[in-house]
Amino acid sequence: MKRYIVTPDKHFPYHNKESIKVLCKAIKMVKPDGYIDLGDTGEWDNASHWKWKGKSKPSLEWYLPGIIQDVEDVNKGMDIIDEALCKANCKEKHFIEGNHDMWMNMFVDEYPYLPQYRIPEALKLKDRGYTYHPAGKLLKVGNLHFYHGHNYGGMHHAKNHLGKYKCNIMYGHHHDVQVATDTSTNGYIQAWSIGCLKDDSPEVNAFTKGRPLNWVQAFAIVDYHNRNDFSVSVVQITKGKAVVFGKEIDGK
């Protein structure tokens, strides 16, 4: 039997601090065999093409300090989780690249003489002990696949992910919690959207212009048995608290 903790979009440094505390306490309690980061680990605001929409992009010298600050902030966030994983003696770690993380790779494509800012190098993934999975590539563990997610089908994205991939799949990207079930020649298949760990306040997310959000603070625990079979528990965090295996965890 093996157990994994899977985390969706954290968007450091715009993470929900209470939710990250809950996650780290859960890691220490559960002591997972493996950890899977589904991507959008950083916001990477200064590498975003949206930042310059409708504006003239300034010279590299003008905005490079912001890129450097983003790298520092996201590494600090990963340090918090890695410290908990170390205390839990979790050796197997996977990093799946998200669309926000890709912005850093696109930045390097524009400035190829700055390769140190590609995601594997910027986040020191090899030194941290992570296996790196580029955006769009599925990680398969037993009979469950993991990746960051795409904009499939709006409201019914879990169902549409099943239609696209036709396999058991877990993803983030949409920041809400959904489960969909369908049939296959080998029995039923399911898709899980497991929420996010980003601060959902209007102050942090000005682009939402105050509209209500369906974002859910959550992460997943996946237990494997008979080698490939698995069960999924989505842990929802409400007002900085969650229940894991019957025990309340307080992130306040």
Side-chain angles (χ1 to χ4, degrees):
M1 182 173 175
K2 293 187 76 174
R3 176 170 289 154
Y4 289 76
I5 281 185
V6 187
T7 61
D9 310 41
K10 293 159 285 294
H11 292 266
F12 292 120
Y14 302 133
H15 55 293
N16 184 303
K17 295 179 176 60
E18 292 179 354
S19 294
I20 294 296
K21 286 181 182 178
V22 168
L23 168 67
C24 290
K25 288 181 178 181
I27 288 171
K28 294 171 189 175
M29 184 183 87
V30 170
K31 293 181 170 53
D33 302 287
Y35 172 73
I36 299 172
D37 185 329
L38 291 180
D40 278 8
T41 305
E43 179 73 16
W44 304 115
D45 184 55
N46 287 287
S48 169
H49 59 285
W50 297 108
K51 188 178 181 71
W52 313 115
K53 185 178 181 181
K55 306 174 186 176
S56 296
K57 192 172 183 180
S59 65
L60 174 63
E61 291 78 10
W62 192 89
Y63 75 94
L64 184 58
I67 296 284
I68 294 170
Q69 186 63 55
D70 285 350
V71 171
E72 182 179 333
D73 289 341
V74 181
N75 272 285
K76 283 181 180 177
M78 289 191 70
D79 288 345
I80 296 170
I81 297 175
D82 280 346
E83 181 182 5
L85 292 169
C86 181
K87 289 181 178 178
N89 197 33
C90 178
K91 303 293 187 185
E92 182 184 345
K93 299 192 289 185
H94 298 272
F95 183 97
I96 297 172
E97 196 171 72
N99 58 295
H100 278 246
D101 307 312
M102 281 177 61
W103 293 345
M104 287 294 282
N105 297 339
M106 293 164 69
F107 168 77
V108 175
D109 288 342
E110 188 174 357
Y111 302 102
Y113 50 87
L114 295 173
Q116 67 269 33
Y117 294 112
R118 284 200 184 277
I119 281 297
E121 288 74 29
L123 296 181
K124 303 173 283 190
L125 295 180
K126 186 174 181 181
D127 291 341
R128 290 179 182 277
Y130 283 81
T131 300
Y132 166 64
H133 305 274
K137 299 291 185 180
L138 271 63
L139 164 65
K140 186 174 187 290
V141 181
N143 291 328
L144 180 57
H145 299 75
F146 303 87
Y147 95 123
H148 176 66
H150 280 109
N151 292 325
Y152 288 144
M155 185 184 299
H156 304 293
H157 51 83
K159 178 182 177 181
N160 284 288
H161 272 79
L162 279 182
K164 292 287 185 181
Y165 287 97
K166 297 177 175 59
C167 64
N168 294 306
I169 193 163
M170 180 176 287
Y171 61 96
H173 186 61
H174 289 265
H175 293 201
D176 65 355
V177 170
Q178 281 192 20
V179 181
T181 305
D182 206 344
T183 57
S184 77
T185 54
N186 295 318
Y188 69 85
I189 53 174
Q190 292 183 290
W192 288 265
S193 169
I194 62 166
C196 72
L197 294 166
K198 183 183 181 183
D199 184 341
D200 59 2
S201 67
E203 294 77 17
V204 169
N205 302 283
F207 69 92
T208 64
K209 298 180 180 179
R211 72 175 184 269
L213 298 174
N214 65 341
W215 297 1
V216 180
Q217 299 292 308
F219 61 92
I221 299 173
V222 183
D223 286 311
Y224 285 87
H225 50 94
N226 297 331
R227 208 163 177 187
N228 293 321
D229 298 328
F230 63 90
S231 60
V232 172
S233 300
V234 177
V235 179
Q236 295 188 196
I237 305 167
T238 305
K239 297 180 180 177
K241 295 183 179 181
V243 175
V244 177
F245 301 156
K247 294 184 179 180
E248 183 183 77
I249 298 178
D250 192 339
K252 292 184 179 296

